[in-house]
Amino acid sequence: MARPQTDIEAGRQELLDIVEGMIAKRGAVDITVNELAAEAGMSPSNLYRFFENKEAILEAAAERWFAPKIAIMEEVVASPLPAREKLYQFFVKRYRLSCEQFEADPRQFQSYMELGAQHFEVVRGYVDFGDHYLAIVVAEAMEQGHFVGLTIDETVSLINQMVHVYCNPEVLVFLAHRMSEDKLAKIIDAIFRGLGEASEDTGEVAPMKLVS
Amino acid sequence: MARPQTDIEAGRQELLDIVEGMIAKRGAVDITVNELAAEAGMSPSNLYRFFENKEAILEAAAERWFAPKIAIMEEVVASPLPAREKLYQFFVKRYRLSCEQFEADPRQFQSYMELGAQHFEVVRGYVDFGDHYLAIVVAEAMEQGHFVGLTIDETVSLINQMVHVYCNPEVLVFLAHRMSEDKLAKIIDAIFRGLGEASEDTGEVAPMKLVS
């Protein structure tokens, strides 16, 4: 039974290419099964083999949009970097990707943002993934003596709030001119030196020199 | 010539009460001179004595919306508080006001947000005011030995980014359940202990105990 599964998956990917083009062209408008079938030159009943309904189309498009960001998080979490560098990479690599996506096609980027705002339940899964991976990075940092006196959940929440502008692509669109990797590095430094009770090493750790 | 001026101002305030009601009821839709005249039961030509055009209506409504926030900033900047407490008050008092405004009438709050997004030039003046006052607080903190190695502009920008969620009412709407005055206090602590080169007193200053 492997063959049909693979065919279905290949067909879905081709259809998702078409969906991406439609989102870029039409903006944040839902795509029905009939519309996608027409654009793909197939019958609606054929298309239903690939996507059950318009929600399934949207979910698959979102999954594809978030896939590289999830890959970044998995890679950074598994890396042997020290805690501070790991936290920086955790955020800067996704920020960099968002900047590239925005610059490559601002209109498509905006369309995805609006689609995400309209279907926040799809975005929520990705946000939860982010919190899950961030909790791993935070727990490691705590083992190394950071964030004394705070719980993991509290620390995750505080970090999310302090780097919010680098994570929320909607903010990115209108604050981009004030944002930089250097500023993000300084915020990560402040997080490590300033969050939680002052630990013994607070005064000794030099700020990161990651950005030239 | 003082009398007519005062009459005009009183008339404007009465008309702005009506505008507020219209925004609350209709949402983020521009209000024309004719519409406001009809709602106020006066002729358009009479209304033009108070507002030149619909832009002037909107600007006056925005001015009234931002007035208490500007008053907060002026009061905090002029207060004799130590730098860290001053920075906390600078943000927490406006955050508190936003929470109250949102809870009092979520729909009206959303309408103002949408109006602001549509007419960002009106909002920009307020944002610039905020930066101006924040620069004064930062300069004072620098005189007291904080934020070593950073410029005022850099520090203002970094602080704005780190407390963004507590300043942007649009973020407030969907992150409110994760935000608290206690977390804001911890972020302000991290800013003072962690932003800039480690200064001599970094390890000594105890975190603020402002929130029970």
PDB file of all heavy atoms in Angstrom, chain A residues 16-35:
ATOM      1  N   LEU A  16      -0.141  22.004  -3.707  1.00  0.00           N
ATOM      2  CA  LEU A  16       0.243  23.072  -2.765  1.00  0.00           C
ATOM      3  C   LEU A  16       1.079  24.158  -3.463  1.00  0.00           C
ATOM      4  O   LEU A  16       1.027  25.327  -3.065  1.00  0.00           O
ATOM      5  CB  LEU A  16       0.983  22.490  -1.563  1.00  0.00           C
ATOM      6  CG  LEU A  16       0.074  21.770  -0.562  1.00  0.00           C
ATOM      7  CD1 LEU A  16       0.904  21.106   0.532  1.00  0.00           C
ATOM      8  CD2 LEU A  16      -0.945  22.732   0.054  1.00  0.00           C
ATOM      9  N   ASP A  17       1.824  23.768  -4.507  1.00  0.00           N
ATOM     10  CA  ASP A  17       2.508  24.792  -5.311  1.00  0.00           C
ATOM     11  C   ASP A  17       1.478  25.749  -5.905  1.00  0.00           C
ATOM     12  O   ASP A  17       1.675  26.971  -5.924  1.00  0.00           O
ATOM     13  CB  ASP A  17       3.312  24.140  -6.452  1.00  0.00           C
ATOM     14  CG  ASP A  17       4.529  23.375  -5.938  1.00  0.00           C
ATOM     15  OD1 ASP A  17       4.963  23.651  -4.800  1.00  0.00           O
ATOM     16  OD2 ASP A  17       5.033  22.508  -6.680  1.00  0.00           O
ATOM     17  N   ILE A  18       0.395  25.153  -6.413  1.00  0.00           N
ATOM     18  CA  ILE A  18      -0.665  25.974  -7.010  1.00  0.00           C
ATOM     19  C   ILE A  18      -1.327  26.847  -5.952  1.00  0.00           C
ATOM     20  O   ILE A  18      -1.592  28.038  -6.170  1.00  0.00           O
ATOM     21  CB  ILE A  18      -1.711  25.074  -7.717  1.00  0.00           C
ATOM     22  CG1 ILE A  18      -1.040  24.329  -8.880  1.00  0.00           C
ATOM     23  CG2 ILE A  18      -2.899  25.890  -8.203  1.00  0.00           C
ATOM     24  CD1 ILE A  18      -1.900  23.250  -9.506  1.00  0.00           C
ATOM     25  N   VAL A  19      -1.562  26.259  -4.769  1.00  0.00           N
ATOM     26  CA  VAL A  19      -2.169  27.023  -3.668  1.00  0.00           C
ATOM     27  C   VAL A  19      -1.302  28.229  -3.324  1.00  0.00           C
ATOM     28  O   VAL A  19      -1.796  29.353  -3.160  1.00  0.00           O
ATOM     29  CB  VAL A  19      -2.364  26.124  -2.424  1.00  0.00           C
ATOM     30  CG1 VAL A  19      -2.743  26.958  -1.200  1.00  0.00           C
ATOM     31  CG2 VAL A  19      -3.430  25.068  -2.694  1.00  0.00           C
ATOM     32  N   GLU A  20       0.012  28.015  -3.234  1.00  0.00           N
ATOM     33  CA  GLU A  20       0.925  29.120  -2.916  1.00  0.00           C
ATOM     34  C   GLU A  20       0.784  30.252  -3.932  1.00  0.00           C
ATOM     35  O   GLU A  20       0.746  31.422  -3.570  1.00  0.00           O
ATOM     36  CB  GLU A  20       2.382  28.625  -2.915  1.00  0.00           C
ATOM     37  CG  GLU A  20       2.852  28.256  -1.542  1.00  0.00           C
ATOM     38  CD  GLU A  20       4.293  27.753  -1.516  1.00  0.00           C
ATOM     39  OE1 GLU A  20       5.074  28.045  -2.446  1.00  0.00           O
ATOM     40  OE2 GLU A  20       4.633  27.047  -0.552  1.00  0.00           O
ATOM     41  N   GLY A  21       0.730  29.876  -5.199  1.00  0.00           N
ATOM     42  CA  GLY A  21       0.554  30.881  -6.246  1.00  0.00           C
ATOM     43  C   GLY A  21      -0.762  31.622  -6.085  1.00  0.00           C
ATOM     44  O   GLY A  21      -0.827  32.848  -6.256  1.00  0.00           O
ATOM     45  N   MET A  22      -1.814  30.897  -5.723  1.00  0.00           N
ATOM     46  CA  MET A  22      -3.132  31.530  -5.548  1.00  0.00           C
ATOM     47  C   MET A  22      -3.122  32.495  -4.370  1.00  0.00           C
ATOM     48  O   MET A  22      -3.690  33.585  -4.442  1.00  0.00           O
ATOM     49  CB  MET A  22      -4.212  30.451  -5.336  1.00  0.00           C
ATOM     50  CG  MET A  22      -4.499  29.637  -6.596  1.00  0.00           C
ATOM     51  SD  MET A  22      -5.586  28.200  -6.266  1.00  0.00           S
ATOM     52  CE  MET A  22      -7.212  28.986  -6.239  1.00  0.00           C
ATOM     53  N   ILE A  23      -2.463  32.095  -3.280  1.00  0.00           N
ATOM     54  CA  ILE A  23      -2.383  32.981  -2.103  1.00  0.00           C
ATOM     55  C   ILE A  23      -1.615  34.246  -2.459  1.00  0.00           C
ATOM     56  O   ILE A  23      -2.014  35.358  -2.112  1.00  0.00           O
ATOM     57  CB  ILE A  23      -1.727  32.250  -0.907  1.00  0.00           C
ATOM     58  CG1 ILE A  23      -2.674  31.171  -0.372  1.00  0.00           C
ATOM     59  CG2 ILE A  23      -1.359  33.226   0.204  1.00  0.00           C
ATOM     60  CD1 ILE A  23      -2.065  30.254   0.686  1.00  0.00           C
ATOM     61  N   ALA A  24      -0.503  34.071  -3.191  1.00  0.00           N
ATOM     62  CA  ALA A  24       0.308  35.227  -3.570  1.00  0.00           C
ATOM     63  C   ALA A  24      -0.496  36.178  -4.455  1.00  0.00           C
ATOM     64  O   ALA A  24      -0.379  37.395  -4.351  1.00  0.00           O
ATOM     65  CB  ALA A  24       1.570  34.771  -4.300  1.00  0.00           C
ATOM     66  N   LYS A  25      -1.333  35.598  -5.345  1.00  0.00           N
ATOM     67  CA  LYS A  25      -2.056  36.410  -6.324  1.00  0.00           C
ATOM     68  C   LYS A  25      -3.315  37.027  -5.727  1.00  0.00           C
ATOM     69  O   LYS A  25      -3.604  38.196  -5.963  1.00  0.00           O
ATOM     70  CB  LYS A  25      -2.445  35.512  -7.513  1.00  0.00           C
ATOM     71  CG  LYS A  25      -2.606  36.229  -8.832  1.00  0.00           C
ATOM     72  CD  LYS A  25      -2.575  35.258 -10.007  1.00  0.00           C
ATOM     73  CE  LYS A  25      -3.692  34.224  -9.925  1.00  0.00           C
ATOM     74  NZ  LYS A  25      -3.579  33.191 -10.981  1.00  0.00           N
ATOM     75  N   ARG A  26      -4.045  36.251  -4.955  1.00  0.00           N
ATOM     76  CA  ARG A  26      -5.372  36.690  -4.504  1.00  0.00           C
ATOM     77  C   ARG A  26      -5.376  37.291  -3.128  1.00  0.00           C
ATOM     78  O   ARG A  26      -6.363  37.898  -2.711  1.00  0.00           O
ATOM     79  CB  ARG A  26      -6.339  35.499  -4.506  1.00  0.00           C
ATOM     80  CG  ARG A  26      -6.494  34.865  -5.846  1.00  0.00           C
ATOM     81  CD  ARG A  26      -7.253  33.557  -5.813  1.00  0.00           C
ATOM     82  NE  ARG A  26      -8.059  33.380  -4.626  1.00  0.00           N
ATOM     83  CZ  ARG A  26      -9.073  32.525  -4.554  1.00  0.00           C
ATOM     84  NH1 ARG A  26      -9.383  31.782  -5.611  1.00  0.00           N
ATOM     85  NH2 ARG A  26      -9.757  32.390  -3.449  1.00  0.00           N
ATOM     86  N   GLY A  27      -4.311  37.092  -2.387  1.00  0.00           N
ATOM     87  CA  GLY A  27      -4.297  37.581  -1.019  1.00  0.00           C
ATOM     88  C   GLY A  27      -5.006  36.626  -0.086  1.00  0.00           C
ATOM     89  O   GLY A  27      -5.214  35.455  -0.415  1.00  0.00           O
ATOM     90  N   ALA A  28      -5.385  37.168   1.089  1.00  0.00           N
ATOM     91  CA  ALA A  28      -5.881  36.323   2.163  1.00  0.00           C
ATOM     92  C   ALA A  28      -7.352  35.962   1.965  1.00  0.00           C
ATOM     93  O   ALA A  28      -8.216  36.379   2.712  1.00  0.00           O
ATOM     94  CB  ALA A  28      -5.687  37.029   3.496  1.00  0.00           C
ATOM     95  N   VAL A  29      -7.625  35.199   0.945  1.00  0.00           N
ATOM     96  CA  VAL A  29      -8.991  34.759   0.675  1.00  0.00           C
ATOM     97  C   VAL A  29      -8.985  33.234   0.734  1.00  0.00           C
ATOM     98  O   VAL A  29      -8.086  32.592   0.191  1.00  0.00           O
ATOM     99  CB  VAL A  29      -9.459  35.239  -0.717  1.00  0.00           C
ATOM    100  CG1 VAL A  29     -10.880  34.777  -0.981  1.00  0.00           C
ATOM    101  CG2 VAL A  29      -9.338  36.740  -0.823  1.00  0.00           C
ATOM    102  N   ASP A  30      -9.985  32.670   1.393  1.00  0.00           N
ATOM    103  CA  ASP A  30     -10.066  31.212   1.466  1.00  0.00           C
ATOM    104  C   ASP A  30     -10.120  30.602   0.065  1.00  0.00           C
ATOM    105  O   ASP A  30     -10.670  31.194  -0.861  1.00  0.00           O
ATOM    106  CB  ASP A  30     -11.316  30.794   2.243  1.00  0.00           C
ATOM    107  CG  ASP A  30     -11.036  30.783   3.743  1.00  0.00           C
ATOM    108  OD1 ASP A  30      -9.886  31.050   4.124  1.00  0.00           O
ATOM    109  OD2 ASP A  30     -11.968  30.515   4.501  1.00  0.00           O
ATOM    110  N   ILE A  31      -9.538  29.432  -0.048  1.00  0.00           N
ATOM    111  CA  ILE A  31      -9.509  28.730  -1.336  1.00  0.00           C
ATOM    112  C   ILE A  31     -10.405  27.499  -1.217  1.00  0.00           C
ATOM    113  O   ILE A  31     -10.146  26.624  -0.396  1.00  0.00           O
ATOM    114  CB  ILE A  31      -8.067  28.333  -1.685  1.00  0.00           C
ATOM    115  CG1 ILE A  31      -7.259  29.604  -1.977  1.00  0.00           C
ATOM    116  CG2 ILE A  31      -8.039  27.375  -2.875  1.00  0.00           C
ATOM    117  CD1 ILE A  31      -5.768  29.400  -2.002  1.00  0.00           C
ATOM    118  N   THR A  32     -11.468  27.460  -2.006  1.00  0.00           N
ATOM    119  CA  THR A  32     -12.379  26.316  -1.928  1.00  0.00           C
ATOM    120  C   THR A  32     -11.849  25.176  -2.789  1.00  0.00           C
ATOM    121  O   THR A  32     -10.974  25.366  -3.651  1.00  0.00           O
ATOM    122  CB  THR A  32     -13.789  26.682  -2.422  1.00  0.00           C
ATOM    123  OG1 THR A  32     -13.700  26.970  -3.818  1.00  0.00           O
ATOM    124  CG2 THR A  32     -14.331  27.894  -1.680  1.00  0.00           C
ATOM    125  N   VAL A  33     -12.397  23.984  -2.532  1.00  0.00           N
ATOM    126  CA  VAL A  33     -12.004  22.812  -3.313  1.00  0.00           C
ATOM    127  C   VAL A  33     -12.306  23.050  -4.798  1.00  0.00           C
ATOM    128  O   VAL A  33     -11.480  22.743  -5.667  1.00  0.00           O
ATOM    129  CB  VAL A  33     -12.734  21.555  -2.778  1.00  0.00           C
ATOM    130  CG1 VAL A  33     -12.541  20.380  -3.730  1.00  0.00           C
ATOM    131  CG2 VAL A  33     -12.215  21.202  -1.388  1.00  0.00           C
ATOM    132  N   ASN A  34     -13.476  23.631  -5.088  1.00  0.00           N
ATOM    133  CA  ASN A  34     -13.838  23.892  -6.485  1.00  0.00           C
ATOM    134  C   ASN A  34     -12.849  24.838  -7.175  1.00  0.00           C
ATOM    135  O   ASN A  34     -12.457  24.623  -8.318  1.00  0.00           O
ATOM    136  CB  ASN A  34     -15.248  24.486  -6.572  1.00  0.00           C
ATOM    137  CG  ASN A  34     -16.311  23.407  -6.421  1.00  0.00           C
ATOM    138  OD1 ASN A  34     -16.007  22.208  -6.483  1.00  0.00           O
ATOM    139  ND2 ASN A  34     -17.549  23.831  -6.215  1.00  0.00           N
ATOM    140  N   GLU A  35     -12.465  25.894  -6.464  1.00  0.00           N
ATOM    141  CA  GLU A  35     -11.537  26.867  -7.054  1.00  0.00           C
ATOM    142  C   GLU A  35     -10.178  26.244  -7.323  1.00  0.00           C
ATOM    143  O   GLU A  35      -9.583  26.465  -8.391  1.00  0.00           O
ATOM    144  CB  GLU A  35     -11.368  28.070  -6.110  1.00  0.00           C
ATOM    145  CG  GLU A  35     -12.566  29.003  -6.104  1.00  0.00           C
ATOM    146  CD  GLU A  35     -12.564  29.946  -4.914  1.00  0.00           C
ATOM    147  OE1 GLU A  35     -11.778  29.702  -3.961  1.00  0.00           O
ATOM    148  OE2 GLU A  35     -13.340  30.903  -4.935  1.00  0.00           O
TER     149      GLU A  35
END
